[in-house]
Amino acid sequence: MKIFYINNTGSGFAEQIEVAEGASLGELFAQKMPGCHPGDYLIRVNRQPAASDEVLTEGCRVSITPTKIEGAVPA
Amino acid sequence: MKTKDPLLRPAIWLQGCHYHDCLTRPDKGRDGALDAVLYHAQLLAQHLGACRKARSRGWQTAVMQMDARITEDLRQLQYATTEAQTQSRGPTVLPQPTLRDLYQELLQLQQEFLKVSIEPKQHLLAVATDSIELERVYLVEFRLELHLDRLREHVDVTAFDVVALDPHPPDSSQDVTHPHVRDNQLCAGDATGPVAQALKDGRFCDAFLAVNSVPARIQPPFTLRCPG
């Protein structure tokens, strides 16, 4: 099934992706953000906070945003 | 979404801003890439004409020189064409946000931040951040201001002002209110890409969240660094 996935790290892309039926939010996070700690991110499903065992549904909107991003020093 | 919903009118306003900006904003990246295609095509035509002329007159050295230039023109033209195709493809990856999308952006903004200000006359959408501890002493709140009129020129982090509500700048530089903020402008670092992409997509809440993540990243011990 397809979901709308927004990753606000790196270049900050948003795209439709294919995930397995019955996949959970935690599984998606582990797949997309290997080695990262969920506590360091705002993770939303359909714009709402969600538990890692929440099962994703067709067409849902998942966004992952770091709570802390490295800025630059003013020039 | 009900017709008397207080967020509906701001969402309509936001949609107007975003559509207007998308329609009137010059696509500098694509225009530049297309200019490069035309430039290299013109060079190719010039060199091809010169090569044919040299051949008709039996100038072998000139023919060899023009052949080499034509080969280089073709290479440059191919590169420029590929770049122009990429630039043309970029903005159409995602559909423009609908009124419902923008309404939900505002709704989410109110859920993520305690104070949200919508000021159409000032073309302003603003939120207040949580307090951030600076130098283990000061607690500073920032107001993140998205100036929608700036999006006509730059769809990036420069559309934001980051205003310290009770600033404690170092003596050496009064305009530095945070290690990543000078003159109310955020030096976004790693957030630059996500903020720009979110603004292009009309994901205003994501843009605010990404901007908010930069001032939040203070690693103690922390010292205000004042450039210059």
Side-chain angles (χ1 to χ4, degrees), chain B residues 135-170:
Chain B
E135 303 237 50
R136 296 184 182 176
V137 177
Y138 302 120
L139 285 173
V140 177
E141 261 184 51
F142 289 90
R143 180 173 146 103
L144 311 181
E145 299 180 344
L146 173 59
H147 294 263
L148 289 148
D149 48 344
R150 293 184 195 165
L151 295 176
R152 289 176 198 161
E153 291 299 321
H154 302 285
V155 190
D156 57 29
V157 75
T158 58
F160 279 94
D161 276 352
V162 177
V163 182
L165 297 180
D166 181 20
H168 297 275

Coordinates of all heavy atoms in Angstrom, one line a residue, chain B residues 135-170:
Chain B
E135 N 23.3 30.0 28.0 CA 24.4 30.1 29.0 C 23.9 29.7 30.4 O 24.4 30.2 31.3 CB 24.8 31.6 29.0 CG 25.2 32.1 27.7 CD 26.6 32.7 27.7 OE1 27.5 32.0 28.2 OE2 26.8 33.8 27.2
R136 N 23.0 28.7 30.4 CA 22.5 28.2 31.7 C 22.0 29.2 32.6 O 21.8 29.0 33.8 CB 23.7 27.4 32.4 CG 24.2 26.2 31.6 CD 25.2 25.5 32.4 NE 25.7 24.4 31.7 CZ 26.7 23.6 32.1 NH1 27.3 23.8 33.3 NH2 27.1 22.6 31.3
V137 N 21.7 30.4 32.1 CA 21.2 31.5 32.9 C 19.9 32.0 32.4 O 18.9 32.0 33.1 CB 22.2 32.6 33.0 CG1 21.6 33.8 33.8 CG2 23.5 32.1 33.6
Y138 N 19.9 32.4 31.1 CA 18.8 33.1 30.6 C 17.8 32.1 30.0 O 18.2 31.2 29.3 CB 19.2 34.1 29.5 CG 20.2 35.1 30.0 CD1 21.5 35.2 29.5 CD2 19.8 36.0 31.0 CE1 22.4 36.2 29.9 CE2 20.7 36.9 31.5 CZ 22.0 37.0 30.9 OH 22.9 38.0 31.4
L139 N 16.6 32.4 30.2 CA 15.5 31.7 29.5 C 15.0 32.6 28.4 O 14.4 33.7 28.7 CB 14.4 31.3 30.4 CG 14.8 30.1 31.4 CD1 13.7 29.9 32.4 CD2 15.0 28.8 30.6
V140 N 15.1 32.2 27.2 CA 14.7 33.1 26.1 C 13.6 32.5 25.3 O 13.7 31.3 24.9 CB 15.9 33.4 25.2 CG1 15.5 34.3 24.0 CG2 17.0 34.2 26.0
E141 N 12.6 33.2 25.0 CA 11.5 32.8 24.1 C 11.8 33.5 22.7 O 12.2 34.6 22.7 CB 10.1 33.2 24.6 CG 9.4 32.1 25.3 CD 8.0 32.6 25.7 OE1 7.3 33.1 24.8 OE2 7.6 32.5 26.9
F142 N 11.5 32.7 21.7 CA 11.7 33.4 20.4 C 10.3 33.4 19.7 O 9.5 32.5 19.9 CB 12.7 32.6 19.5 CG 14.1 32.7 20.0 CD1 14.6 31.8 20.9 CD2 14.9 33.7 19.5 CE1 15.9 32.0 21.3 CE2 16.2 33.9 19.9 CZ 16.7 33.0 20.8
R143 N 10.1 34.4 18.9 CA 9.0 34.4 18.0 C 9.4 34.1 16.6 O 10.3 34.8 16.1 CB 8.3 35.8 18.1 CG 7.1 36.0 17.2 CD 6.5 37.4 17.6 NE 5.9 38.0 16.4 CZ 4.6 38.1 16.2 NH1 3.8 37.6 17.1 NH2 4.1 38.7 15.1
L144 N 8.9 33.1 16.0 CA 9.3 32.7 14.6 C 8.3 33.3 13.7 O 7.1 33.0 13.8 CB 9.3 31.2 14.5 CG 10.0 30.3 15.5 CD1 9.9 28.9 15.2 CD2 11.5 30.8 15.7
E145 N 8.7 34.2 12.9 CA 7.8 34.9 12.0 C 8.1 34.5 10.5 O 9.2 34.7 10.0 CB 8.1 36.4 12.1 CG 7.9 37.0 13.5 CD 8.1 38.5 13.6 OE1 8.8 39.0 12.6 OE2 7.7 39.1 14.6
L146 N 7.0 34.0 9.9 CA 7.1 33.7 8.5 C 6.5 34.9 7.7 O 5.3 35.1 7.8 CB 6.4 32.4 8.1 CG 6.2 32.1 6.7 CD1 7.6 32.0 6.0 CD2 5.5 30.8 6.5
H147 N 7.3 35.6 7.0 CA 6.8 36.7 6.2 C 6.5 36.2 4.8 O 7.4 36.0 3.9 CB 7.9 37.8 6.1 CG 8.2 38.5 7.4 ND1 7.6 39.6 7.8 CD2 8.9 38.0 8.5 CE1 8.0 39.9 9.1 NE2 8.8 39.0 9.5
L148 N 5.2 36.1 4.6 CA 4.7 35.4 3.3 C 5.1 36.2 2.1 O 5.3 35.7 1.0 CB 3.2 35.1 3.4 CG 3.0 34.0 4.4 CD1 1.6 34.2 5.1 CD2 3.0 32.6 3.7
D149 N 5.1 37.6 2.2 CA 5.4 38.4 1.0 C 6.9 38.1 0.5 O 7.2 38.3 -0.6 CB 5.2 39.9 1.3 CG 5.9 40.3 2.6 OD1 6.2 39.5 3.5 OD2 6.0 41.5 2.8
R150 N 7.7 37.7 1.4 CA 9.1 37.4 1.0 C 9.2 36.2 0.1 O 10.2 36.0 -0.6 CB 10.0 37.2 2.2 CG 10.2 38.4 3.1 CD 11.2 38.1 4.2 NE 11.1 39.1 5.2 CZ 11.6 39.0 6.4 NH1 12.3 37.9 6.8 NH2 11.5 40.0 7.3
L151 N 8.2 35.3 0.2 CA 8.3 34.1 -0.6 C 8.2 34.3 -2.1 O 8.6 33.4 -2.9 CB 7.1 33.1 -0.2 CG 7.1 32.6 1.2 CD1 5.9 31.8 1.5 CD2 8.3 31.8 1.5
R152 N 7.8 35.5 -2.5 CA 7.8 35.8 -3.9 C 9.2 35.9 -4.5 O 9.5 35.6 -5.6 CB 7.2 37.2 -4.2 CG 5.7 37.2 -3.9 CD 5.1 38.6 -4.1 NE 3.8 38.6 -3.4 CZ 3.1 39.6 -3.0 NH1 3.6 40.8 -3.2 NH2 1.9 39.5 -2.5
E153 N 10.2 36.2 -3.6 CA 11.6 36.3 -4.1 C 12.4 35.1 -3.7 O 13.2 34.6 -4.5 CB 12.2 37.6 -3.5 CG 11.7 38.9 -4.1 CD 11.9 39.0 -5.6 OE1 13.0 38.6 -6.1 OE2 11.0 39.4 -6.3
H154 N 12.2 34.6 -2.5 CA 13.0 33.5 -2.0 C 12.2 32.6 -1.2 O 11.6 32.9 -0.2 CB 14.1 34.1 -1.0 CG 15.0 35.1 -1.7 ND1 16.0 34.7 -2.6 CD2 15.1 36.4 -1.5 CE1 16.6 35.8 -3.0 NE2 16.1 36.8 -2.4
V155 N 12.1 31.4 -1.7 CA 11.3 30.3 -1.0 C 12.3 29.6 -0.1 O 12.7 28.4 -0.5 CB 10.6 29.4 -2.0 CG1 9.6 28.5 -1.2 CG2 9.8 30.2 -3.0
D156 N 12.8 30.2 0.9 CA 13.7 29.6 1.8 C 13.7 30.2 3.2 O 12.8 31.0 3.5 CB 15.2 29.6 1.2 CG 15.6 31.1 0.9 OD1 15.1 32.0 1.6 OD2 16.4 31.3 0.0
V157 N 14.7 29.8 4.0 CA 14.6 30.2 5.4 C 14.7 31.8 5.6 O 14.3 32.3 6.6 CB 15.8 29.5 6.1 CG1 17.1 30.1 5.8 CG2 15.5 29.5 7.6
T158 N 15.1 32.5 4.5 CA 15.2 34.0 4.7 C 13.8 34.6 4.8 O 13.6 35.8 5.1 CB 15.9 34.6 3.5 OG1 15.3 34.3 2.3 CG2 17.4 34.2 3.4
A159 N 12.7 33.8 4.5 CA 11.4 34.3 4.7 C 11.0 34.3 6.2 O 10.0 34.9 6.6 CB 10.4 33.4 4.0
F160 N 11.9 33.7 7.0 CA 11.6 33.7 8.4 C 12.4 34.8 9.2 O 13.6 35.0 8.8 CB 12.0 32.4 9.0 CG 11.0 31.3 8.9 CD1 11.0 30.4 7.8 CD2 9.9 31.1 9.8 CE1 10.1 29.4 7.6 CE2 9.0 30.2 9.6 CZ 9.0 29.3 8.6
D161 N 11.9 35.4 10.2 CA 12.6 36.1 11.2 C 12.5 35.4 12.5 O 11.5 34.8 12.8 CB 12.0 37.5 11.4 CG 12.5 38.5 10.3 OD1 13.4 38.2 9.5 OD2 12.0 39.7 10.3
V162 N 13.6 35.3 13.2 CA 13.6 34.7 14.5 C 13.9 35.8 15.5 O 15.0 36.3 15.6 CB 14.7 33.6 14.6 CG1 14.8 33.0 16.0 CG2 14.4 32.5 13.5
V163 N 12.9 36.2 16.2 CA 13.0 37.4 17.1 C 13.0 37.0 18.5 O 12.0 36.3 19.0 CB 11.8 38.3 16.8 CG1 11.9 39.6 17.7 CG2 11.6 38.7 15.3
A164 N 14.0 37.3 19.2 CA 14.1 37.0 20.7 C 13.2 38.0 21.4 O 13.2 39.2 21.2 CB 15.5 37.2 21.2
L165 N 12.3 37.4 22.2 CA 11.3 38.3 22.9 C 11.9 39.1 24.1 O 11.5 40.2 24.4 CB 10.1 37.5 23.4 CG 9.3 36.8 22.2 CD1 8.2 36.0 22.7 CD2 8.8 37.8 21.2
D166 N 12.9 38.5 24.7 CA 13.6 39.2 25.8 C 15.1 38.9 25.6 O 15.7 38.1 26.3 CB 13.1 38.7 27.1 CG 13.8 39.4 28.3 OD1 14.3 40.5 28.1 OD2 13.8 38.8 29.4
P167 N 15.7 39.6 24.6 CA 17.1 39.2 24.2 C 18.1 39.5 25.3 O 18.0 40.5 26.0 CB 17.3 40.0 22.9 CG 16.4 41.2 23.1 CD 15.2 40.7 23.8
H168 N 19.2 38.7 25.3 CA 20.3 38.9 26.2 C 21.6 38.8 25.3 O 22.3 37.8 25.4 CB 20.4 37.9 27.3 CG 19.2 38.0 28.2 ND1 19.2 38.9 29.3 CD2 18.0 37.4 28.2 CE1 18.0 38.8 29.9 NE2 17.3 37.8 29.3
P169 N 21.8 39.7 24.4 CA 23.0 39.6 23.5 C 24.3 39.8 24.2 O 24.3 40.5 25.3 CB 22.7 40.7 22.4 CG 21.9 41.7 23.2 CD 21.1 41.0 24.1
P170 N 25.4 39.3 23.7 CA 26.7 39.6 24.4 C 27.0 41.1 24.1 O 26.6 41.7 23.2 CB 27.6 38.6 23.6 CG 27.0 38.4 22.3 CD 25.5 38.5 22.5

